[in-house]
Every structure is written in C-alpha cells, then in structure tokens.
Amino acid sequence: MYYVGIDVSKYKHDCIVVSNDGEIICDTFSFGNDYDGFQTLSSMLSSLGEHENIRIGFEATAHYTLNLKLFLENAHYSFMEFNPVLLSKFNKSQTLRRTKTDAIDCAAIARWLMTVEYKPHPVGFYHAYSLKSLTRLRDSLVRQRSFYLVKITNVLDHTFPEFKPFFGNKFSKTAIHLLENYGNADRMSRMNSLSYENLRRISRGKFSPKKFIELKNLAATTVGESNEIFDLQLSSLLSLYKLSANEINSLEQKITELICKIDPRSLSIPGIGPLSAAVIYAEFGDIAKFSSPQKMLSFAGLEPGYYQSGTSAHGGHMVKRGSSHLRFTLMNLCVPLIQYNIVFAEYYAKKRAEGKPHRVACSHLVKKLLRVIYTLETKRVDFDPEKLR
C-alpha cells in the first residue's frame, strides 16, 4: 500500500509517497496547479501500480483543492479530504518543535493517512460543490442586501425619520417604490391622484386613501432635512439594493432548478423548501459517508461539548465547528417546521413543556430533523408522518 500526502496551496502543491512500512518511495517534490503539474503527478501515480493500492490524502482548503479533486476523480483515483484541525492535532502529538514547511506538512499527511481509517471522497462531488458555491454566494448577497437596507435607514433618519415607522419598520414593495420614484419628503408631500393609483396597484389595494393622506401629511410636517447629498446617497443605495435583489432572485431560480433535478428526500419533509434543501444537500454531501445521525450533528457543529477529568464531568455549549452556513440554515428551519409540520410541532411543544428554553428546544428539534433526514436518505424513502408518531 502506498500513502500519498499532498499539501495544497494556491499556485503549487507538495507531494510525498510513503509505503505502509514507512519507507519513502518518492521524496518530496512540488508540482504546479496547472496542466504540466498535473501531468507530473499523473506520471508519478502511474509508476506506483494499481489504483487500489494507492491512498491519497490532503487537507480541505476551500476552492484550492477543486481542480485537484476533479483531476483525481477523472483519473479514477480515490482520495480522502480531511479537516486541517485533525492534522494540526496529529502534528502536535508527534513533536514539540514548531518548524512548519510545506515539505513537512505533506510528510505529516502521509503519516496521518497510515494511522486513520481511509474514507474516500464520494464520486460525483461536483454537483454538491456547485450547489455549495451558489448557496453560499446567495447567502453573501442576502447579507449585502441587508447591509444596504441598514444604510438606507440611516439616510432616512436624516431626511424623513417618520417614513419607516409608517410602514411598520419594513421596506415593503410600496415603500421601495416611493423611495425610488420620489426620494424625499418634499416630493412625497406633493403626490397627486395618479400617484395614489400607482401605489394602490403596487400594493394590490392594501394602500388605502386614508394611508395615502396620512403619508402626505407626515411628509409635509417631517422634522427631517433633505439636501442634494442625501438624495444622491439614497439613489445610489437603492440602485445597489435593487441589483442585489435581482441577483438573489436569479440565483434562487438556478438553485431551485438544480435541487429539484437532484430531488433529495429532505424535500419531502413539510417545512423544508428548495433553498434549505439545497444547503443541506450541498453542505453534507453524500449522507452515506456518515455512519450515524450523530456524526451529521457533529459535522454541523451542533453537538454539545463535554468535559471529563477525574471526578469532574460536565456538559458544555454547542461546539459550533464546521459549516456556519449549514448551522444557520438548520436552526432557522425550526420556525417553518413548527408551523407546517405537525410531527415537529408536537416535538417542540413537548420540549417546551419539559421546561427547556426556545433555543434549547430548537436544538433538540434540529437533532430530530437530522435523524429523520439520515433515515430518509439511507433508506431512500419519502417522509411519512404516521411512521414518526
């Protein structure tokens, strides 16, 4: 058996090959993150013989490993990707020295591969990676959109502080339309009947004549002060907000299209929509690589910490390791699950009746959700509430 340790970086990778008795078969060498570099790696791997006798390992380093993984998969080599924290712990257990080089790291990876159970990365990871990229990009844009809304609120605090409270401190379609087409309180105070007809149409009749008159009066008597600079800021922020919103809509359509083609069993659970199902599928990847729902919980960083030493033993807070994006999505799923899924609503009510606070009850709800998803995916069945009662 040959153990191939690869230390991944942006422009080049370092590699070493060690036999199962610790003998160095191929000393440390570097190959570029390009065609010539990958051909060098291919030649070296071909010289080792059968693919089944080669175990390749490297750390998970975001997108830097993508091309390498695609190359190895297309060449029909198995490989194992692991958390860098594990290698760091292993290195600390081997030596007290603080010397760190790429050559030392790839040798440590090869030695570490020899000591752990080899768990090859599932074939066909690219679809999950594509969804992961899209869902994380959407999350970034949603945060950016929220940032622009905060900045818009800051401008309105100067120019028309009564505006946002009038709309319940929310930026509805009607409110955005008013800001885009009128901009400041002075123009809103001079709106006419044609303006109202447009507002009524956009709000689908919810914006009544009474509200229209109240808004005009607020605009006429506002304590805010508008000027050219604030108007320019508001216009720019609204343009950026609208651009972000349009991009988010486009991404959501693509994500929904992709996840519906994959059709994971989690989509059959009432309360889980396409966007949430896409995050779960993309972040967890192949559920078959987890031996139990508890491993999924640990992967998401939702398991409680535990400390025991001598006679002292106590539980801790949620460890919060792994994907924060996945953790955020799972915790936010609690509300729709309680609203639209009687099984989870009853379970949440049970935990609350036991005296658990809302967030603690939600963490128990997520544990149950992961147990359900694990069962559905491993047994390839759809959600059936009768089997969970």
Side-chain angles (χ1 to χ4, degrees), residues 141-152 170-173 175-177 179-180 233-249:
L141 289 176
V142 168
R143 293 175 189 274
Q144 195 67 42
R145 183 180 61 181
S146 300
F147 171 79
Y148 292 138
L149 288 178
V150 171
K151 291 297 182 181
I152 289 171
K170 295 179 180 179
F171 284 107
S172 62
K173 288 184 178 180
I176 294 295
H177 172 80
L179 294 175
E180 285 181 334
Q233 286 185 30
L234 185 61
S235 177
S236 297
L237 289 168
L238 285 169
S239 296
L240 291 169
Y241 167 79
K242 193 170 182 179
L243 179 62
S244 298
N246 290 337
E247 290 300 318
I248 289 169
N249 289 335

Side-chain angles (χ1 to χ4, degrees), residues 121-166:
H121 203 282
V123 176
F125 72 94
Y126 192 73
H127 295 296
Y129 181 85
S130 299
L131 268 178
K132 182 185 289 188
S133 299
L134 290 178
T135 53
R136 290 192 175 190
L137 176 58
R138 175 190 172 274
D139 181 65
S140 298
L141 289 176
V142 168
R143 293 175 189 274
Q144 195 67 42
R145 183 180 61 181
S146 300
F147 171 79
Y148 292 138
L149 288 178
V150 171
K151 291 297 182 181
I152 289 171
T153 301
N154 292 344
V155 174
L156 289 173
D157 288 341
H158 290 287
T159 61
F160 193 178
E162 301 89 351
F163 181 84
K164 194 174 178 182
F166 177 79

